[in-house]
Structures are given as structure tokens and as C-alpha cells.
Amino acid sequence: MALFKKRPEGKPGEWYYCLKHSRVEEGPECRAADRLGPYGTREEASHAMETARERNEEWRTDPRWNDDADAGDGEGPKAG
């Protein structure tokens, strides 16, 4: 058993969305693997899941990245 518990990384004044507790948190409350952020404001953090969905959709439909085009060559987007 560890004598000292390592604090989660982060600073007061930074806002996070905790995936484990489904809530906005200021500073280091939960471990980094369980949170999204940091965000500049509490309001931004409160929309973290919506922001993530929007970004995932943008990336999924980005014409510069299409996994089906080269059928598994293992490379990312082509410069061009």
C-alpha cells in the first residue's frame, strides 16, 4: 500500500468533465483517464460530451481520412 496518494494532474481554475461521475469539476478531482479537458470555462466543460460528439462526426466524415479507400494499407491521410 502506498504511503502517499498521487494527486490527479491538473490545476485549480481549469475545468474538466468527469466521465465517471458525469459532472463538471474544477481542477484535479478525478484521475486524468476519467475526464475530458481542460476547458477554459465551466460552461465549455458542461458541453464536453456534445463537443466530443461533434468532433467525432467531423473526423468520421472528413474526406481527407477514409479507411475504406486503400483497404488496410495502414497509412493515414495522403499529402497532396
Side-chain angles (χ1 to χ4, degrees):
M1 179 152 107
L3 293 175
F4 301 99
K5 185 175 180 183
K6 184 176 177 185
R7 287 180 48 104
E9 293 181 22
K11 298 178 236 170
E14 293 178 329
W15 295 93
Y16 298 88
Y17 183 81
C18 177
L19 300 168
K20 184 176 179 181
H21 299 109
S22 299
R23 69 177 185 210
V24 173
E25 299 176 345
E26 182 181 11
E29 290 186 31
C30 290
R31 65 188 197 117
D34 291 334
R35 60 183 195 224
L36 299 175
Y39 295 93
T41 66
R42 180 180 194 86
E43 180 71 17
E44 288 176 26
S46 71
H47 295 288
M49 294 302 294
E50 179 182 329
T51 301
R53 276 190 294 276
E54 290 171 359
R55 289 179 180 168
N56 285 343
E57 183 61 19
E58 287 174 16
W59 294 331
R60 190 184 70 74
T61 59
D62 188 336
R64 296 173 295 171
W65 185 268
N66 184 347
D67 290 339
D68 297 330
D70 294 320
D73 68 0
E75 294 183 25
K78 306 285 189 246

